[in-house]
């Protein structure tokens, strides 16, 4: 009987530990999904800017390489 109780107690502790770990992973997943959406929005904005610059006058095109390098070294890069 004592072994059975110990086993049940250990089992409950393991289940609680797994539930906590699942909760933490679900929270992390939600945070990563938010980060993904923000990153995708940033990428779309940069793509729009790139298209505008490539259609612009030649002096703006000269700075295109530098602009792209700065964008890629930022948070989305």
């Amino acid at each position: 009987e004592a072994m059975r109780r110990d086993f049940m107690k250990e089992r409950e502790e393991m289940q609680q530990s797994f539930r906590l770990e699942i909760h933490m992973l679900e929270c992390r997943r939600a945070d990563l999904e938010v980060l993904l959406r923000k990153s995708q929005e940033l990428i779309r904005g940069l793509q729009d800017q790139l298209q505008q610059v490539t259609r612009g006058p030649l002096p703006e095109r000269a700075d295109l390489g530098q602009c792209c390098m700065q964008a890629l070294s930022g948070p989305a890069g």
Side-chain angles (χ1 to χ4, degrees):
E1 184 63 31
M3 287 177 61
R4 184 176 181 274
R5 276 182 286 168
D6 289 344
F7 173 77
M8 294 301 283
K9 182 179 179 182
E10 185 177 333
R11 180 179 173 194
E12 180 59 36
E13 288 172 355
M14 287 178 66
Q15 287 177 338
Q16 181 65 26
S17 175
F18 287 140
R19 284 191 291 266
L20 178 61
E21 187 173 349
I22 289 170
H23 175 73
M24 290 172 54
L25 290 172
E26 288 172 345
C27 290
R28 181 169 177 145
R29 178 181 175 187
D31 291 343
L32 290 172
E33 287 174 350
V34 168
L35 182 60
L36 174 63
R37 280 193 299 274
K38 288 181 180 181
S39 296
Q40 288 172 335
E41 290 173 9
L42 179 61
I43 289 170
R44 277 193 295 277
L46 290 172
Q47 287 172 335
D48 291 344
Q49 288 179 11
L50 181 61
Q51 288 176 355
Q52 290 174 3
V53 169
T54 56
R55 290 188 214 130
L58 288 178
E60 288 183 21
R61 288 186 184 189
D63 295 332
L64 180 60
Q66 184 180 0
C67 175
C68 291
M69 292 304 292
Q70 289 174 349
L72 290 175
S73 65

